[in-house]
Amino acid sequence: FSNSGPISDSSGNPLNVSSDDGYTYDTSDSEFRFYDINAKYVYQPSEKDKLSISALMTRNRTLFSFQNNGETKRDSLATGNGGLSINWKHQTSTRQTDQITTYFSSYDSYYRNLELYGNELEETNIRGNRISDFGLELKSDRVFKNNDLLSFGYQLSNTNLEIDMSYISNLDPADNISLPVQDSNLKNVLFGEYSFRKDNGALLKMGLRGVHYGSLGNLYLEPRLNIELPINKSFRIRTGMERRNQPISQLIEFNQTELRLENNLWRLSDNTNYPLLQSNQFSAGLLFDKNGWTVDAEAYYKNLTGLTSYSQGFNLPQPNLSEGESRIIGVDILLKKRIRNYRFWVGYSFNDVNFTFDEIQESSFSGNNDIPHSFRVSNSLDIKNLKLSLGWQYRTGTPFTPIKNYDEESKAVTFESLNSGRLTSFHRLDASLTYDFAINPKSTKIQLGISALNIYDRIVPLAIIHRTNQQNGELLLEQVIQRRSLGFTPNLTVRVFF
């Protein structure tokens, strides 16, 4: 990966601003390792009972350091997930099924940034996030004589969350910041859904969830409605409406400073700085399936309230927090066809993500994840044990905030409206070839594969980060970091199935 590139203002004038050009492979070290383990056990003691146990564990660790003019910066990021789920399903009668599910899951991340001059540690930035969740669900499904279905049940879960955000300066301890957080939330849910089923394939689902969050002390209702209507044997239309609540959300950053590694923090909602994340959404679509042709199209509208911004990193004595909302309009279209051993998929997505944060900017602006157009085409051909694949993808560049004016002597900077610029469009061509052969036809199979990402080696910036500093009420631009896409990348894989 590369974090450097030409820098210009919104008028296209080149700027002499520090970037990562001074850091090379010779002056930097990087290391990345990961593992993931998952297992599932299914036991059926009788025709009416089935027990399933699933477990998952993943771990990722990245280390990165570089040196320049006697200064050393070291980044480390470790993330992990773990989970265990137990499900028991019992066929009470020919028309009734009951099940019990219990689970435990955990997520943790720890980011640390060290800045040294020579062997002397000058600055430490830490972000830690740990979430654990225990849950229990009781559910019953009952089919009536007219084939209508009633599902109802109860859910209980308890979420514990810890955050460690700190800034430690050995040069000026008065600027040190420590913001530890420890919260928990007990959630109780009663839910029910009734499904009307007609002989012609029409389906109407009406559901309601009553949710009580202990951390908020309030009860929330979540209605849901889904309709599917067949026009003929090949054509169906569907629509849906629902309201969702989420007591945990990510902090959205608009001005990353010291952090070189992505590390978003999760935070539980309260009744003050961190509101409940609420979503009202509507969708409508159609499905066509005939003679091996499938067309699946869906349009949707979502309105999210309770978003929280974390806009200034560690630059200020206390982080700036502000509440906002998001409006999302989108369309997804999928076309696929299979002709004997040949298959192809064509997908297109339109997405319009709009943010409103009145305390940051009076007018609305494009969201950080606003990608208006995305297109993908994939082809695959199976020839006995050989499989060939070729795919091309394209998407609009992500938004960024352009520089309006910059003084190279004082480093004073002013910016255009938030996320008013857009990066270069991204596209790439990928290909792969896999070959399967059996060592023991009954138990062991080996798959060999070779692939290439970004065959024509197109490299464009995926994100631009401005490192700023405030002095005497003036905003100073210290560095501009461009995160650029991965170039031509060959891969070789060997998989063993036994």
Side-chain angles (χ1 to χ4, degrees):
F1 290 89
S2 174
N3 287 335
S4 61
I7 302 164
S8 60
D9 60 18
S10 56
S11 300
N13 302 315
L15 299 178
N16 183 20
V17 185
S18 173
S19 69
D20 276 0
D21 288 333
Y23 307 113
T24 66
Y25 295 113
D26 296 331
T27 61
S28 63
D29 294 300
S30 62
E31 178 185 340
F32 172 71
R33 59 180 180 267
F34 74 94
Y35 68 83
D36 62 86
I37 304 170
N38 63 79
K40 184 174 184 178
Y41 176 73
V42 179
Y43 174 62
Q44 193 165 355
S46 67
E47 294 182 356
K48 296 183 178 181
D49 295 280
K50 184 178 181 180
L51 179 68
S52 301
I53 303 175
S54 302
L56 169 71
M57 180 179 293
T58 70
R59 197 71 183 172
N60 306 272
R61 183 172 177 83
T62 302
L63 303 173
F64 178 65
S65 66
F66 54 86
Q67 298 178 351
N68 189 34
N69 296 326
E71 185 182 34
T72 303
K73 295 188 178 183
R74 297 175 182 169
D75 276 357
S76 63
L77 173 63
T79 61
N81 289 276
L84 176 66
S85 173
I86 302 174
N87 173 265
W88 173 65
K89 183 181 292 186
H90 176 68
Q91 188 75 35
T92 305
S93 67
T94 56
R95 295 186 175 271
Q96 179 177 342
T97 303
D98 300 305
Q99 58 180 312
I100 300 175
T101 304
T102 182
Y103 69 88
F104 173 80
S105 66
S106 66
Y107 164 80
D108 64 272
S109 69
Y110 186 81
Y111 170 85
R112 185 177 68 174
N113 167 258
L114 303 178
E115 297 192 8
L116 304 92
Y117 191 81
N119 295 322
E120 182 178 353
L121 178 63
E122 294 184 342
E123 183 179 307
T124 304
N125 291 286
I126 292 176
R127 286 190 181 187
N129 205 184
R130 179 174 298 169
I131 306 170
S132 61
D133 190 35
F134 171 79
L136 174 69
E137 178 183 270
L138 309 176
K139 183 182 178 183
S140 181
D141 296 324
R142 303 189 181 186
V143 180
F144 299 101
K145 293 183 179 180
N146 59 358
N147 286 328
D148 289 354
L149 173 65
L150 173 65
S151 298
F152 61 92
Y154 167 74
Q155 295 174 342
L156 170 70
S157 67
N158 187 69
T159 303
N160 292 297
L161 181 143
E162 298 177 23
I163 296 177
D164 180 13
M165 292 177 25
S166 61
Y167 166 81
I168 303 170
S169 173
N170 292 339
L171 299 179
D172 194 354
D175 293 336
N176 289 356
I177 301 173
S178 180
L179 300 172
V181 175
Q182 186 168 0
D183 286 331
S184 64
N185 176 56
L186 181 66
K187 181 176 73 173
N188 288 274
V189 182
L190 287 174
F191 65 91
E193 181 180 75
Y194 194 89
S195 301
F196 297 89
R197 301 179 177 183
K198 301 301 179 181
D199 294 337
N200 64 353
L203 179 64
L204 170 64
K205 292 183 179 181
M206 297 187 300
L208 180 65
R209 291 167 56 91
V211 187
H212 182 271
Y213 299 110
S215 61
L216 300 172
N218 294 325
L219 177 66
Y220 299 88
L221 298 180
E222 299 177 347
R224 300 180 181 182
L225 174 66
N226 291 279
I227 302 173
E228 288 190 20
L229 296 175
I231 305 302
N232 52 47
K233 292 182 178 180
S234 304
F235 189 70
R236 300 174 65 87
I237 59 174
R238 59 178 182 266
T239 184
M241 295 177 288
E242 61 181 320
R243 181 179 180 86
R244 293 177 179 267
N245 298 288
Q246 184 172 297
I248 186 171
S249 59
Q250 279 188 328
L251 303 182
I252 300 173
E253 290 193 284
F254 296 111
N255 184 20
Q256 294 174 317
T257 53
E258 295 296 335
L259 301 181
R260 292 178 168 275
L261 299 176
E262 296 284 352
N263 183 27
N264 296 320
L265 294 176
W266 291 90
R267 179 67 197 260
L268 280 173
S269 303
D270 55 26
N271 286 320
T272 53
N273 293 325
Y274 305 93
L276 180 69
L277 188 64
Q278 296 184 306
S279 169
N280 294 308
Q281 53 193 67
F282 169 82
S283 64
L286 57 89
L287 177 64
F288 175 81
D289 191 355
K290 186 176 182 180
N291 297 330
W293 289 93
T294 301
V295 180
D296 191 346
E298 183 178 53
Y300 56 88
Y301 171 86
K302 298 180 182 180
N303 180 257
L304 283 81
T305 59
L307 297 178
T308 303
S309 73
Y310 178 60
S311 58
Q312 293 295 327
F314 291 106
N315 275 342
L316 302 179
Q318 294 292 332
N320 275 357
L321 294 169
S322 58
E323 182 180 348
E325 63 180 48
S326 173
R327 186 265 300 148
I328 304 173
I329 299 174
V331 176
D332 294 328
I333 301 174
L334 173 65
L335 168 67
K336 60 181 180 179
K337 170 66 174 177
R338 180 167 186 169
I339 306 173
R340 296 183 180 179
N341 296 331
Y342 171 72
R343 291 180 293 177
F344 77 90
W345 305 259
V346 177
Y348 168 77
S349 295
F350 168 79
N351 198 27
D352 182 17
V353 182
N354 185 273
F355 279 173
T356 301
F357 283 84
D358 293 333
E359 297 179 10
I360 296 178
Q361 183 169 289
E362 292 183 359
S363 59
S364 300
F365 52 92
S366 297
N368 291 351
N369 57 338
D370 178 44
I371 301 177
H373 304 285
S374 179
F375 177 82
R376 179 189 295 266
V377 56
S378 300
N379 305 263
S380 70
L381 177 64
D382 295 341
I383 306 174
K384 294 185 178 180
N385 295 336
L386 187 66
K387 183 175 182 179
L388 306 173
S389 299
L390 183 69
W392 185 77
Q393 58 179 296
Y394 165 91
R395 67 168 175 79
T396 311
T398 55
F400 77 102
T401 304
I403 297 172
K404 185 176 183 179
N405 294 302
Y406 174 69
D407 189 316
E408 294 184 2
E409 294 184 2
S410 65
K411 296 186 178 181
V413 64
T414 57
F415 290 94
E416 298 283 2
S417 299
L418 197 61
N419 284 353
S420 58
R422 192 167 291 276
L423 297 175
T424 306
S425 297
F426 170 85
H427 54 81
R428 79 181 197 206
L429 178 68
D430 304 329
S432 68
L433 181 152
T434 60
Y435 179 74
D436 298 339
F437 62 95
I439 296 179
N440 184 333
K442 294 183 178 181
S443 60
T444 306
K445 184 182 74 171
I446 293 181
Q447 182 184 87
L448 301 178
I450 184 170
S451 64
L453 304 178
N454 198 357
I455 292 176
Y456 47 75
D457 197 33
R458 176 177 167 83
I459 301 176
V460 296
L462 300 179
I464 292 181
I465 300 168
H466 300 103
R467 293 184 58 193
T468 59
N469 191 16
Q470 290 192 359
Q471 291 184 5
N472 301 322
E474 194 170 35
L475 188 64
L476 306 181
L477 180 61
E478 302 289 346
Q479 189 179 39
V480 178
I481 299 174
Q482 293 192 35
R483 292 182 174 162
R484 302 175 71 83
S485 59
L486 194 65
F488 172 72
T489 307
N491 295 282
L492 177 66
T493 62
V494 178
R495 293 186 175 95
V496 180
F497 303 86
F498 56 90

